[in-house]
Amino acid sequence: MTIASAFVPRKFALPPAEARLFQVDPDSRLLGHCHWQPGKSKAVPVVVIVHGLEGSSDSNYVLGIADKAFQRGFHAVRLNQRNCGGTEALSPTLYNSGMSGDYRAVFEELSNGDGFEQIFFAGYSMGGNLVTKMAGEFGSAVPRALRGVGVVCPAIDLGASADALNRTENYLYQWRFVSGLMSRYARKQKLFPDRYPENGLRSRSIRTVREFDDFITAPQFGYRDAQDYYDHVGAKRVAANVRLPLLMITAQDDPFVTYASFLAAKISDNPAIQFVATTHGGHCAFISKHSGPERFWAEQRLVGFFEARRADL
């Protein structure tokens, strides 16, 4: 189902987007594509959508959630993580799974800067880890404008996911991720050669996500090695602190975001988290036998969850 979802033809009815740059630290900006309801009312709820590893604001699931939310009266913001969607020049850093502060900055700009009164976040895979981590870091001090978070197959235990990717049957996924990460790193080298020297990279064979994180991600961000990085950035560390409404959907047959990682993190013990673990669904696929809006089942569940928590202000 994970692979099949990439080949299902899709059409979207979104109006043209307004491009916007969100300042997330003094040197870095994120590119968002914003679909505002007519009048851009501050009382109309906003859904901010964060993609997964090697995705972008143009990933089908991002467009799918934005389309469903917009049709149900929400503003929709399709956000690119650092360096994604062709934005390598907007930040001197790489991206990693611990940068939850970026999404807090986006939230604060939309709430404090723009004055939006109801803001929701949706995240898939790596993006799901990031916005879950943001929610856990708020703890009980949840801002009034942050109404809820919905995540699909969040990679809350990156070490477990890296190990699962090493299984033979996951070769295709591993190859795709590593190819994308290495291509992105090559583009960063050209843009920031002083910060990203080659250091024999061409002669070094990086074949796994863990090797990439060992050799590149961890030293760039001050971690001892990949495992140290994984231990610090996984949302499993803060999930117990979530106090805002959070819908977490995963599939027990996800090939590399393991169901065991959610059990180990005791996700279902937190009453603020509505945890749904279907038997089938693959990684962020969830293709339903039903047609129409229900075809992509998880997208429909997230938007329904947000709609149930919007307030008529």
Side-chain angles (χ1 to χ4, degrees), residues 59-77:
S59 294
N60 272 345
Y61 54 84
V62 175
L63 289 162
I65 294 174
D67 190 19
K68 289 177 172 66
F70 191 85
Q71 302 310 320
R72 289 160 86 164
F74 288 74
H75 301 305
V77 177

Side-chain angles (χ1 to χ4, degrees), residues 45-46 107 117-121 142-149 244-246 305-306 308-313:
V46 183
F107 165 75
E117 301 167 37
Q118 301 184 74
I119 301 170
F120 298 87
F121 277 79
V142 180
R144 184 177 183 275
L146 185 58
R147 306 289 296 185
V149 170
L244 59 83
L246 191 152
F305 177 78
F306 298 149
R309 283 153 186 81
R310 65 182 292 178
D312 294 323
L313 300 176

Side-chain angles (χ1 to χ4, degrees), residues 198-201 204 206 210-219:
E198 188 176 304
N199 284 345
L201 190 59
R204 184 183 180 91
I206 292 179
R210 186 179 281 272
E211 287 175 350
F212 181 90
D213 289 333
D214 257 330
F215 190 66
I216 295 175
T217 308

Side-chain angles (χ1 to χ4, degrees), residues 289-311:
K289 63 182 179 181
H290 302 289
S291 60
E294 283 290 325
R295 172 67 74 199
F296 291 89
W297 179 86
E299 296 173 7
Q300 189 77 336
R301 299 289 78 72
L302 259 60
V303 175
F305 177 78
F306 298 149
E307 190 168 48
R309 283 153 186 81
R310 65 182 292 178

Side-chain angles (χ1 to χ4, degrees), residues 5 10 48-56 59-66 68 81 97 121-132 149-156 249 254 256-257 281-286 296-303 306:
S5 66
R10 304 197 64 177
V48 181
I49 309 151
V50 185
H51 61 81
L53 182 67
E54 290 305 289
S56 76
S59 294
N60 272 345
Y61 54 84
V62 175
L63 289 162
I65 294 174
K68 289 177 172 66
Q81 295 192 43
S97 288
F121 277 79
Y124 269 52
S125 194
M126 177 183 175
N129 178 72
L130 284 159
V131 297
T132 301
V149 170
V151 296
V152 178
C153 301
I156 65 170
I249 298 173
D254 189 312
F256 49 86
V257 173
H283 183 66
C284 298
F286 298 95
F296 291 89
W297 179 86
E299 296 173 7
Q300 189 77 336
R301 299 289 78 72
L302 259 60
V303 175
F306 298 149

Side-chain angles (χ1 to χ4, degrees), residues 79 93 113 262:
L79 202 60
T93 76
F262 299 98

Side-chain angles (χ1 to χ4, degrees), residues 82-83 91-96 99 185 188-189 192-199 201 211-226 228-229:
R82 296 191 191 200
N83 306 298
S91 173
T93 76
L94 300 174
Y95 70 159
N96 76 52
M99 291 180 158
Y185 187 74
K188 294 297 281 190
Q189 283 182 312
F192 304 98
D194 294 337
R195 183 164 184 150
Y196 302 104
E198 188 176 304
N199 284 345
L201 190 59
E211 287 175 350
F212 181 90
D213 289 333
D214 257 330
F215 190 66
I216 295 175
T217 308
Q220 279 292 325
F221 292 98
Y223 297 106
R224 183 179 62 253
D225 54 21
D228 186 42
Y229 160 58

